[in-house]
Amino acid sequence: MLRRAGAEVWRVGFNAGDRAFSFGDRGFIPFTGAPSDWPDTFAALVAEHQITDIVLYGDVRPIHAQAVAAAKDMGLTVHVFEEGYMRPYWVTYERGGTNGNSRLMDMTIDQMRQDLERSEMDVPEPPAHWGDMRQHVFYGALYHWFVIFRNRQFREFAPHRDLSPLHEAMLYTRRLLLMPFISLHRMLATARVRFGGFPYHLVLLQLEHDSNFLRHSPFASMEDFLRVVIEGFAQGAGRHHHLVFKAHPLENDRSPTRKNIDRIAKEFGVEDRIHYIRGGKLAKLLDHARTAVTVNSTAAQQVLWRSIPLKVFGNAVYDKPEFVSTLPLPNFFAQPGRPDNRAYRDYRQFLLETSQIPGGFYSSRGRRQLLRQVVDMMLDDEDPYDALRSGKIAPRQSLRIVN
């Protein structure tokens, strides 16, 4: 679509998965060198092709972070995509950085309200589930099949995660084989919480290798986070309250999270009030949750939409004092206080008017919806936030959800 608009486009690929999903693109450039060669190669590509902009999915993987730093030094425009901050039916598009590197980190709610003065957008309600999960899993598996079995051209390729693609594939295969037992365990664990008759606090877990967790949080491991939460619960929550850990839908047990929870809970004498739920839909658990705690999961947006008190430990674009608690964790569990729902709705509207674009990466329908707007936004002189402030931002499409 960028080429149709008159731009020249090249894509650098780092493994056979990148190559396979380029579909023979004439602009594909394979990088087959060692990771240490990448900064010099990037500089040479910029000079050779007279590059003016770079486009990335995420900005914290080593190859991306190096490219972003060099591009900013060279005065290039940096376009960054991510899963939507209010996923699943939106995609995030920002310039310069996303998540902890986003411009949103330094914006106040009052500034957002000022920029929204001329807005009359009808704000859609957030869906309660991820619409493209099956496509997400399928394409992820296919991509890594190429990396595992067809990567001969890219012998120097180094994955950004600590486990090899083959090891991860084995973990996901094991999870797939155990799916009937996992589903039964999830159903029973969810029922115990929903029909238990006790007040409970919900902990939104993330993947330990998630870039948001690794780069934008104070914790070196998930175990560190678990210890802080369980200790705070033991010190502050009522003795009749329970604590529910909700695993990420794509958790493959690469780290012993459940065992760590059981061990730490016994240390603090609260093992009879702790629950662990493996994936599943979040909405049912939020219906009766007293509070929610997370590092910086995007699932917290559903928490805030429901006006449930929220405690955050990492850097998050939604971490605003109007609706995210600043209390110490024991005090938060004891008496959390209610978030400012009006402030959150203004914040959410600001995002939907700027960096959140209807559409998705994994289905053809989602990509078509995304492409109708995103190319014009990329070619605009102003980024979405400045365009809203100057009154030049294009009207947004209404969101049409098809399950």
Side-chain angles (χ1 to χ4, degrees):
M1 194 67 75
L2 283 165
R3 288 192 177 112
R4 292 179 187 176
E8 293 183 80
V9 181
W10 288 266
R11 182 184 183 197
V12 182
F14 297 84
N15 58 52
D18 290 344
R19 183 181 61 195
F21 279 88
S22 293
F23 304 103
D25 185 352
R26 66 184 184 276
F28 182 73
I29 302 172
F31 174 75
T32 58
S36 58
D37 299 331
W38 170 236
D40 291 339
T41 301
F42 175 78
L45 289 173
V46 170
E48 177 184 355
H49 297 289
Q50 298 182 328
I51 301 298
T52 59
D53 302 63
I54 66 169
V55 186
L56 315 95
Y57 177 87
D59 60 351
V60 297
R61 298 179 184 184
I63 55 173
H64 290 180
Q66 291 169 352
V68 168
K72 289 181 178 180
D73 288 342
M74 298 176 186
L76 309 184
T77 301
V78 178
H79 308 265
V80 187
F81 288 86
E82 260 284 11
E83 299 283 1
Y85 292 144
M86 290 173 293
R87 64 188 66 170
Y89 292 100
W90 291 275
V91 162
T92 293
Y93 165 69
E94 296 185 271
R95 295 191 188 175
T98 60
N99 294 309
N101 297 324
S102 169
R103 287 182 60 185
L104 290 168
M105 298 298 298
D106 298 321
M107 293 185 190
T108 66
I109 298 299
D110 286 340
Q111 290 172 333
M112 295 178 187
R113 283 171 167 161
Q114 186 175 1
D115 292 342
L116 283 170
E117 285 182 354
R118 287 178 287 181
S119 172
E120 297 180 357
M121 176 181 177
D122 292 330
V123 182
E125 293 191 7
H129 66 282
W130 195 337
D132 292 337
M133 176 61 80
R134 279 180 285 187
Q135 293 98 322
H136 179 101
V137 172
F138 172 76
Y139 285 118
L142 182 60
Y143 178 93
H144 284 95
W145 183 90
F146 283 101
V147 176
I148 294 169
F149 296 109
R150 310 284 292 184
N151 217 45
R152 184 174 299 179
Q153 181 184 0
F154 302 89
R155 296 183 184 276
E156 300 285 348
F157 171 67
H160 64 285
R161 296 174 180 170
D162 55 353
L163 293 183
S164 69
L166 180 59
H167 193 174
E168 289 212 56
M170 293 172 62
L171 289 173
Y172 279 115
T173 300
R174 176 180 177 272
R175 177 182 170 85
L176 182 63
L177 294 174
L178 294 175
M179 189 60 70
F181 303 99
I182 293 174
S183 298
L184 178 61
H185 176 274
R186 179 173 62 240
M187 182 180 66
L188 294 175
T190 302
R192 281 194 294 270
V193 172
R194 293 183 64 200
F195 304 113
F198 45 74
Y200 63 87
H201 308 265
L202 190 60
V203 184
L204 306 178
L205 296 177
Q206 297 162 248
L207 299 175
E208 191 174 45
H209 58 271
D210 180 83
S211 59
N212 244 357
F213 182 86
L214 292 174
R215 308 293 180 182
H216 301 302
S217 87
F219 303 108
S221 69
M222 183 61 67
E223 183 178 354
D224 294 340
F225 171 63
L226 299 176
R227 179 171 292 278
V228 168
V229 173
I230 293 174
E231 181 178 10
F233 173 77
Q235 293 176 353
R239 294 185 178 183
H240 58 298
H241 287 203
H242 288 228
L243 186 65
V244 180
F245 290 88
K246 165 74 167 57
H248 190 279
L250 296 179
E251 179 59 63
N252 62 5
D253 297 326
R254 63 186 292 165
S255 59
T257 300
R258 185 179 179 185
K259 291 182 179 178
N260 288 335
I261 290 173
D262 291 342
R263 176 175 50 81
I264 298 170
K266 288 180 181 178
E267 288 182 28
F268 290 98
V270 293
E271 64 272 17
D272 58 334
R273 296 189 283 142
I274 300 292
H275 306 261
Y276 179 75
I277 297 178
R278 303 185 66 168
K281 294 182 180 180
L282 177 61
K284 293 180 180 179
L285 292 171
L286 288 176
D287 285 343
H288 305 290
R290 180 176 172 84
T291 70
V293 179
T294 187
V295 176
N296 49 20
S297 171
T298 54
Q301 299 274 6
Q302 291 191 47
V303 175
L304 292 169
W305 177 259
R306 293 167 179 255
S307 297
I308 297 172
L310 176 68
K311 178 68 178 178
V312 173
F313 284 91
N315 296 329
V317 294
Y318 53 78
D319 186 7
K320 306 299 180 184
E322 287 85 354
F323 42 78
V324 173
S325 178
T326 59
L327 292 172
L329 191 56
N331 302 73
F332 174 77
F333 281 129
Q335 196 68 39
R338 297 188 63 179
D340 183 341
N341 187 252
R342 291 184 179 179
Y344 174 69
R345 288 173 181 265
D346 290 339
Y347 164 84
R348 186 171 179 274
Q349 182 174 354
F350 180 82
L351 262 63
L352 292 177
E353 286 270 28
T354 53
S355 61
Q356 304 305 290
I357 310 171
F361 297 113
Y362 306 109
S363 70
S364 58
R365 181 183 67 245
R367 290 190 293 273
R368 287 195 302 269
Q369 191 170 17
L370 175 63
L371 286 169
R372 288 190 175 101
Q373 285 188 261
V374 72
V375 172
D376 287 336
M377 295 173 67
M378 295 173 69
L379 295 174
D380 198 297
D381 291 336
E382 295 181 308
D383 80 353
Y385 303 124
D386 291 332
L388 178 65
R389 183 170 300 133
S390 64
K392 298 177 183 177
I393 198 163
R396 287 305 171 88
Q397 301 167 346
S398 61
L399 180 69
R400 296 181 179 178
I401 298 172
V402 181
N403 292 328

